[in-house]
Amino acid sequence: MKTRNRKTMYVRIYRGLGLLLSLLLWTSTATAANWSIHYPRPINESDSRHEYPLTLLKLALSKTGVRYTLTPSERILLQGKAIRQLKENREINIVWVMTDMQREKELLPIRIPIHKGLIGWRVFLINQDFSAKFTNIREVRELTSLTALQGAEWPDTKILQSNGFNVLTVSDFPEAFNRLALKQGDFFPRAVSEVLGELNARSLDEDIVLESSLVVHYPAAMYFFVNRSNPTMARLIETGLRRALEDGSFDNIFVSHHREALLKVNVDERKVFHLENPLLPKETPLDDKALWFDPQLHTPESSVNKAQ
């Protein structure tokens, strides 16, 4: 009996040493490598939507101590094309997009929502001539009778359609803004994390404004994705993000980057319509409250205080 117990103990020790050696080997290999990371080039260099993900990615990499270079692709890659190129392991080796079940089958997700789910809180860009249409909306069915603009390959399109919305699809952002300016759609739902940068764009038609009283919410996460053959890079980035969450630097960047939007948009003062997201994978870490934006906890005032 004693011999059997001793053998069991030795087996456990060997297994533990094996896991430790594997971890040390991975860490030393990842740290020694010079990581060349290629991401999709935006439509133009002034596209502010790339600023925050790149800042967070740099933070995560800095937490691991690796050497790296961050380089945009040689050509402009819109979202659908970027995902296809990453899947085929061509041109780029990372993207940041909203997750859905299909994307998690084709790509390898790093399941830490980089915008803390703020991507699922959607306010509306509208043509100012249509402002009266939104004044007395009290129920979601009144909103679904209007025409929303969304990208043909965006998960948001399917989410809105599954909730009864009438969606007019477009090929890219410029087309959406053009149609809005031409009054060919009633509203363009935009994430709180994105809308200010778009409103401040010089190319935006002056008739396009932010609707002042409504917001729709559905659980959604924007992740970093890599090719499924690249789990080492995924572990590297996840390790850095988790270290940033633990030491508070992740939240500091989140607050400092989104503070102006939270102050201007005032999510907690808007009429909220909660929607279902049938595309959300079951692996989404919804129970980890530290990963998600909450308008009751992340008010503009508390966000300002945390950032100081």
PDB file of all heavy atoms in Angstrom, residues 99-121:
ATOM      1  N   THR A  99     -17.056  39.434 -31.981  1.00  0.00           N
ATOM      2  CA  THR A  99     -17.097  37.985 -32.059  1.00  0.00           C
ATOM      3  C   THR A  99     -18.485  37.496 -32.451  1.00  0.00           C
ATOM      4  O   THR A  99     -19.493  38.155 -32.218  1.00  0.00           O
ATOM      5  CB  THR A  99     -16.690  37.346 -30.722  1.00  0.00           C
ATOM      6  OG1 THR A  99     -16.443  35.946 -30.923  1.00  0.00           O
ATOM      7  CG2 THR A  99     -17.758  37.508 -29.656  1.00  0.00           C
ATOM      8  N   ASP A 100     -18.505  36.334 -33.083  1.00  0.00           N
ATOM      9  CA  ASP A 100     -19.726  35.558 -33.283  1.00  0.00           C
ATOM     10  C   ASP A 100     -19.304  34.103 -33.444  1.00  0.00           C
ATOM     11  O   ASP A 100     -18.103  33.785 -33.463  1.00  0.00           O
ATOM     12  CB  ASP A 100     -20.557  36.054 -34.476  1.00  0.00           C
ATOM     13  CG  ASP A 100     -19.843  35.966 -35.818  1.00  0.00           C
ATOM     14  OD1 ASP A 100     -18.934  35.136 -35.966  1.00  0.00           O
ATOM     15  OD2 ASP A 100     -20.203  36.717 -36.732  1.00  0.00           O
ATOM     16  N   MET A 101     -20.269  33.206 -33.531  1.00  0.00           N
ATOM     17  CA  MET A 101     -19.945  31.782 -33.556  1.00  0.00           C
ATOM     18  C   MET A 101     -19.120  31.391 -34.778  1.00  0.00           C
ATOM     19  O   MET A 101     -18.190  30.592 -34.682  1.00  0.00           O
ATOM     20  CB  MET A 101     -21.235  30.958 -33.465  1.00  0.00           C
ATOM     21  CG  MET A 101     -21.882  31.012 -32.098  1.00  0.00           C
ATOM     22  SD  MET A 101     -23.395  30.031 -31.948  1.00  0.00           S
ATOM     23  CE  MET A 101     -24.579  31.121 -32.737  1.00  0.00           C
ATOM     24  N   GLN A 102     -19.442  31.984 -35.925  1.00  0.00           N
ATOM     25  CA  GLN A 102     -18.714  31.647 -37.148  1.00  0.00           C
ATOM     26  C   GLN A 102     -17.260  32.102 -37.068  1.00  0.00           C
ATOM     27  O   GLN A 102     -16.339  31.368 -37.442  1.00  0.00           O
ATOM     28  CB  GLN A 102     -19.401  32.279 -38.362  1.00  0.00           C
ATOM     29  CG  GLN A 102     -18.776  31.891 -39.702  1.00  0.00           C
ATOM     30  CD  GLN A 102     -18.861  30.402 -39.978  1.00  0.00           C
ATOM     31  OE1 GLN A 102     -19.809  29.730 -39.552  1.00  0.00           O
ATOM     32  NE2 GLN A 102     -17.873  29.867 -40.657  1.00  0.00           N
ATOM     33  N   ARG A 103     -17.038  33.308 -36.570  1.00  0.00           N
ATOM     34  CA  ARG A 103     -15.670  33.818 -36.470  1.00  0.00           C
ATOM     35  C   ARG A 103     -14.835  33.000 -35.494  1.00  0.00           C
ATOM     36  O   ARG A 103     -13.636  32.801 -35.709  1.00  0.00           O
ATOM     37  CB  ARG A 103     -15.697  35.294 -36.066  1.00  0.00           C
ATOM     38  CG  ARG A 103     -16.186  36.192 -37.187  1.00  0.00           C
ATOM     39  CD  ARG A 103     -16.326  37.641 -36.783  1.00  0.00           C
ATOM     40  NE  ARG A 103     -16.773  38.451 -37.909  1.00  0.00           N
ATOM     41  CZ  ARG A 103     -17.036  39.737 -37.849  1.00  0.00           C
ATOM     42  NH1 ARG A 103     -16.906  40.385 -36.694  1.00  0.00           N
ATOM     43  NH2 ARG A 103     -17.436  40.387 -38.931  1.00  0.00           N
ATOM     44  N   GLU A 104     -15.453  32.522 -34.426  1.00  0.00           N
ATOM     45  CA  GLU A 104     -14.707  31.721 -33.463  1.00  0.00           C
ATOM     46  C   GLU A 104     -14.421  30.318 -33.994  1.00  0.00           C
ATOM     47  O   GLU A 104     -13.534  29.634 -33.477  1.00  0.00           O
ATOM     48  CB  GLU A 104     -15.449  31.680 -32.121  1.00  0.00           C
ATOM     49  CG  GLU A 104     -15.475  33.032 -31.440  1.00  0.00           C
ATOM     50  CD  GLU A 104     -15.734  32.960 -29.940  1.00  0.00           C
ATOM     51  OE1 GLU A 104     -15.666  31.847 -29.373  1.00  0.00           O
ATOM     52  OE2 GLU A 104     -16.012  34.021 -29.349  1.00  0.00           O
ATOM     53  N   LYS A 105     -15.154  29.880 -34.990  1.00  0.00           N
ATOM     54  CA  LYS A 105     -14.834  28.611 -35.656  1.00  0.00           C
ATOM     55  C   LYS A 105     -13.663  28.778 -36.613  1.00  0.00           C
ATOM     56  O   LYS A 105     -12.819  27.896 -36.736  1.00  0.00           O
ATOM     57  CB  LYS A 105     -16.056  28.091 -36.429  1.00  0.00           C
ATOM     58  CG  LYS A 105     -17.175  27.541 -35.571  1.00  0.00           C
ATOM     59  CD  LYS A 105     -18.339  27.065 -36.451  1.00  0.00           C
ATOM     60  CE  LYS A 105     -19.485  26.541 -35.602  1.00  0.00           C
ATOM     61  NZ  LYS A 105     -20.642  26.133 -36.445  1.00  0.00           N
ATOM     62  N   GLU A 106     -13.626  29.898 -37.289  1.00  0.00           N
ATOM     63  CA  GLU A 106     -12.627  30.118 -38.334  1.00  0.00           C
ATOM     64  C   GLU A 106     -11.316  30.685 -37.808  1.00  0.00           C
ATOM     65  O   GLU A 106     -10.253  30.437 -38.386  1.00  0.00           O
ATOM     66  CB  GLU A 106     -13.188  31.075 -39.386  1.00  0.00           C
ATOM     67  CG  GLU A 106     -14.406  30.519 -40.127  1.00  0.00           C
ATOM     68  CD  GLU A 106     -14.978  31.507 -41.127  1.00  0.00           C
ATOM     69  OE1 GLU A 106     -14.612  32.708 -41.054  1.00  0.00           O
ATOM     70  OE2 GLU A 106     -15.765  31.078 -41.973  1.00  0.00           O
ATOM     71  N   LEU A 107     -11.385  31.456 -36.718  1.00  0.00           N
ATOM     72  CA  LEU A 107     -10.220  32.120 -36.162  1.00  0.00           C
ATOM     73  C   LEU A 107     -10.058  31.743 -34.690  1.00  0.00           C
ATOM     74  O   LEU A 107     -10.944  31.127 -34.102  1.00  0.00           O
ATOM     75  CB  LEU A 107     -10.360  33.637 -36.308  1.00  0.00           C
ATOM     76  CG  LEU A 107     -10.612  34.183 -37.716  1.00  0.00           C
ATOM     77  CD1 LEU A 107     -10.915  35.677 -37.654  1.00  0.00           C
ATOM     78  CD2 LEU A 107      -9.432  33.911 -38.629  1.00  0.00           C
ATOM     79  N   LEU A 108      -8.945  32.146 -34.108  1.00  0.00           N
ATOM     80  CA  LEU A 108      -8.675  31.849 -32.697  1.00  0.00           C
ATOM     81  C   LEU A 108      -8.907  33.115 -31.873  1.00  0.00           C
ATOM     82  O   LEU A 108      -8.154  34.089 -31.995  1.00  0.00           O
ATOM     83  CB  LEU A 108      -7.237  31.358 -32.536  1.00  0.00           C
ATOM     84  CG  LEU A 108      -6.809  30.889 -31.140  1.00  0.00           C
ATOM     85  CD1 LEU A 108      -7.694  29.748 -30.651  1.00  0.00           C
ATOM     86  CD2 LEU A 108      -5.347  30.471 -31.149  1.00  0.00           C
ATOM     87  N   PRO A 109      -9.951  33.129 -31.029  1.00  0.00           N
ATOM     88  CA  PRO A 109     -10.256  34.338 -30.251  1.00  0.00           C
ATOM     89  C   PRO A 109      -9.446  34.416 -28.960  1.00  0.00           C
ATOM     90  O   PRO A 109      -9.114  33.402 -28.352  1.00  0.00           O
ATOM     91  CB  PRO A 109     -11.741  34.165 -29.927  1.00  0.00           C
ATOM     92  CG  PRO A 109     -11.908  32.669 -29.802  1.00  0.00           C
ATOM     93  CD  PRO A 109     -10.955  32.069 -30.813  1.00  0.00           C
ATOM     94  N   ILE A 110      -9.150  35.625 -28.563  1.00  0.00           N
ATOM     95  CA  ILE A 110      -8.591  35.887 -27.232  1.00  0.00           C
ATOM     96  C   ILE A 110      -9.731  36.508 -26.447  1.00  0.00           C
ATOM     97  O   ILE A 110     -10.059  37.689 -26.619  1.00  0.00           O
ATOM     98  CB  ILE A 110      -7.373  36.819 -27.329  1.00  0.00           C
ATOM     99  CG1 ILE A 110      -6.297  36.169 -28.200  1.00  0.00           C
ATOM    100  CG2 ILE A 110      -6.828  37.148 -25.937  1.00  0.00           C
ATOM    101  CD1 ILE A 110      -5.248  37.122 -28.700  1.00  0.00           C
ATOM    102  N   ARG A 111     -10.371  35.718 -25.595  1.00  0.00           N
ATOM    103  CA  ARG A 111     -11.678  36.083 -25.035  1.00  0.00           C
ATOM    104  C   ARG A 111     -11.597  37.074 -23.876  1.00  0.00           C
ATOM    105  O   ARG A 111     -12.026  36.803 -22.752  1.00  0.00           O
ATOM    106  CB  ARG A 111     -12.444  34.820 -24.627  1.00  0.00           C
ATOM    107  CG  ARG A 111     -12.849  33.951 -25.808  1.00  0.00           C
ATOM    108  CD  ARG A 111     -13.831  32.871 -25.407  1.00  0.00           C
ATOM    109  NE  ARG A 111     -14.190  32.044 -26.532  1.00  0.00           N
ATOM    110  CZ  ARG A 111     -13.574  30.903 -26.858  1.00  0.00           C
ATOM    111  NH1 ARG A 111     -12.570  30.461 -26.103  1.00  0.00           N
ATOM    112  NH2 ARG A 111     -13.953  30.224 -27.917  1.00  0.00           N
ATOM    113  N   ILE A 112     -11.040  38.227 -24.171  1.00  0.00           N
ATOM    114  CA  ILE A 112     -11.055  39.362 -23.251  1.00  0.00           C
ATOM    115  C   ILE A 112     -11.605  40.543 -24.039  1.00  0.00           C
ATOM    116  O   ILE A 112     -10.946  41.032 -24.965  1.00  0.00           O
ATOM    117  CB  ILE A 112      -9.653  39.675 -22.707  1.00  0.00           C
ATOM    118  CG1 ILE A 112      -9.130  38.488 -21.895  1.00  0.00           C
ATOM    119  CG2 ILE A 112      -9.681  40.947 -21.857  1.00  0.00           C
ATOM    120  CD1 ILE A 112      -7.726  38.662 -21.379  1.00  0.00           C
ATOM    121  N   PRO A 113     -12.828  41.001 -23.750  1.00  0.00           N
ATOM    122  CA  PRO A 113     -13.438  42.082 -24.532  1.00  0.00           C
ATOM    123  C   PRO A 113     -12.617  43.360 -24.415  1.00  0.00           C
ATOM    124  O   PRO A 113     -12.505  43.932 -23.327  1.00  0.00           O
ATOM    125  CB  PRO A 113     -14.828  42.250 -23.904  1.00  0.00           C
ATOM    126  CG  PRO A 113     -15.032  41.055 -23.046  1.00  0.00           C
ATOM    127  CD  PRO A 113     -13.694  40.550 -22.661  1.00  0.00           C
ATOM    128  N   ILE A 114     -12.038  43.807 -25.523  1.00  0.00           N
ATOM    129  CA  ILE A 114     -11.096  44.924 -25.431  1.00  0.00           C
ATOM    130  C   ILE A 114     -11.796  46.242 -25.110  1.00  0.00           C
ATOM    131  O   ILE A 114     -11.189  47.136 -24.528  1.00  0.00           O
ATOM    132  CB  ILE A 114     -10.226  45.036 -26.693  1.00  0.00           C
ATOM    133  CG1 ILE A 114     -11.063  45.346 -27.931  1.00  0.00           C
ATOM    134  CG2 ILE A 114      -9.418  43.768 -26.905  1.00  0.00           C
ATOM    135  CD1 ILE A 114     -10.230  45.565 -29.181  1.00  0.00           C
ATOM    136  N   HIS A 115     -13.077  46.363 -25.459  1.00  0.00           N
ATOM    137  CA  HIS A 115     -13.856  47.556 -25.112  1.00  0.00           C
ATOM    138  C   HIS A 115     -14.799  47.299 -23.940  1.00  0.00           C
ATOM    139  O   HIS A 115     -15.746  48.067 -23.729  1.00  0.00           O
ATOM    140  CB  HIS A 115     -14.683  48.030 -26.314  1.00  0.00           C
ATOM    141  CG  HIS A 115     -13.874  48.656 -27.406  1.00  0.00           C
ATOM    142  ND1 HIS A 115     -13.358  49.926 -27.324  1.00  0.00           N
ATOM    143  CD2 HIS A 115     -13.484  48.184 -28.624  1.00  0.00           C
ATOM    144  CE1 HIS A 115     -12.694  50.213 -28.435  1.00  0.00           C
ATOM    145  NE2 HIS A 115     -12.755  49.178 -29.238  1.00  0.00           N
ATOM    146  N   LYS A 116     -14.575  46.224 -23.204  1.00  0.00           N
ATOM    147  CA  LYS A 116     -15.431  45.857 -22.072  1.00  0.00           C
ATOM    148  C   LYS A 116     -16.909  45.765 -22.460  1.00  0.00           C
ATOM    149  O   LYS A 116     -17.804  46.086 -21.677  1.00  0.00           O
ATOM    150  CB  LYS A 116     -15.260  46.853 -20.912  1.00  0.00           C
ATOM    151  CG  LYS A 116     -13.941  46.698 -20.167  1.00  0.00           C
ATOM    152  CD  LYS A 116     -13.880  47.637 -18.978  1.00  0.00           C
ATOM    153  CE  LYS A 116     -12.673  47.314 -18.106  1.00  0.00           C
ATOM    154  NZ  LYS A 116     -12.835  46.071 -17.335  1.00  0.00           N
ATOM    155  N   GLY A 117     -17.167  45.327 -23.684  1.00  0.00           N
ATOM    156  CA  GLY A 117     -18.555  45.185 -24.137  1.00  0.00           C
ATOM    157  C   GLY A 117     -19.213  46.484 -24.535  1.00  0.00           C
ATOM    158  O   GLY A 117     -20.382  46.489 -24.922  1.00  0.00           O
ATOM    159  N   LEU A 118     -18.483  47.599 -24.453  1.00  0.00           N
ATOM    160  CA  LEU A 118     -19.057  48.894 -24.835  1.00  0.00           C
ATOM    161  C   LEU A 118     -19.438  48.900 -26.313  1.00  0.00           C
ATOM    162  O   LEU A 118     -20.274  49.697 -26.742  1.00  0.00           O
ATOM    163  CB  LEU A 118     -18.052  50.011 -24.546  1.00  0.00           C
ATOM    164  CG  LEU A 118     -18.576  51.441 -24.440  1.00  0.00           C
ATOM    165  CD1 LEU A 118     -19.661  51.564 -23.385  1.00  0.00           C
ATOM    166  CD2 LEU A 118     -17.431  52.408 -24.148  1.00  0.00           C
ATOM    167  N   ILE A 119     -18.877  47.978 -27.072  1.00  0.00           N
ATOM    168  CA  ILE A 119     -19.194  47.851 -28.494  1.00  0.00           C
ATOM    169  C   ILE A 119     -20.655  47.467 -28.710  1.00  0.00           C
ATOM    170  O   ILE A 119     -21.227  47.681 -29.781  1.00  0.00           O
ATOM    171  CB  ILE A 119     -18.251  46.810 -29.144  1.00  0.00           C
ATOM    172  CG1 ILE A 119     -18.225  46.957 -30.662  1.00  0.00           C
ATOM    173  CG2 ILE A 119     -18.606  45.400 -28.724  1.00  0.00           C
ATOM    174  CD1 ILE A 119     -17.410  48.104 -31.149  1.00  0.00           C
ATOM    175  N   GLY A 120     -21.290  46.895 -27.669  1.00  0.00           N
ATOM    176  CA  GLY A 120     -22.689  46.498 -27.769  1.00  0.00           C
ATOM    177  C   GLY A 120     -23.677  47.554 -27.290  1.00  0.00           C
ATOM    178  O   GLY A 120     -24.886  47.320 -27.309  1.00  0.00           O
ATOM    179  N   TRP A 121     -23.164  48.712 -26.875  1.00  0.00           N
ATOM    180  CA  TRP A 121     -24.024  49.845 -26.506  1.00  0.00           C
ATOM    181  C   TRP A 121     -24.031  50.787 -27.696  1.00  0.00           C
ATOM    182  O   TRP A 121     -23.023  51.423 -28.009  1.00  0.00           O
ATOM    183  CB  TRP A 121     -23.501  50.541 -25.250  1.00  0.00           C
ATOM    184  CG  TRP A 121     -23.658  49.706 -24.021  1.00  0.00           C
ATOM    185  CD1 TRP A 121     -22.806  48.747 -23.564  1.00  0.00           C
ATOM    186  CD2 TRP A 121     -24.743  49.756 -23.091  1.00  0.00           C
ATOM    187  NE1 TRP A 121     -23.277  48.189 -22.403  1.00  0.00           N
ATOM    188  CE2 TRP A 121     -24.474  48.786 -22.086  1.00  0.00           C
ATOM    189  CE3 TRP A 121     -25.915  50.522 -23.003  1.00  0.00           C
ATOM    190  CZ2 TRP A 121     -25.334  48.561 -21.017  1.00  0.00           C
ATOM    191  CZ3 TRP A 121     -26.768  50.298 -21.934  1.00  0.00           C
ATOM    192  CH2 TRP A 121     -26.479  49.328 -20.954  1.00  0.00           C
TER     193      TRP A 121
END
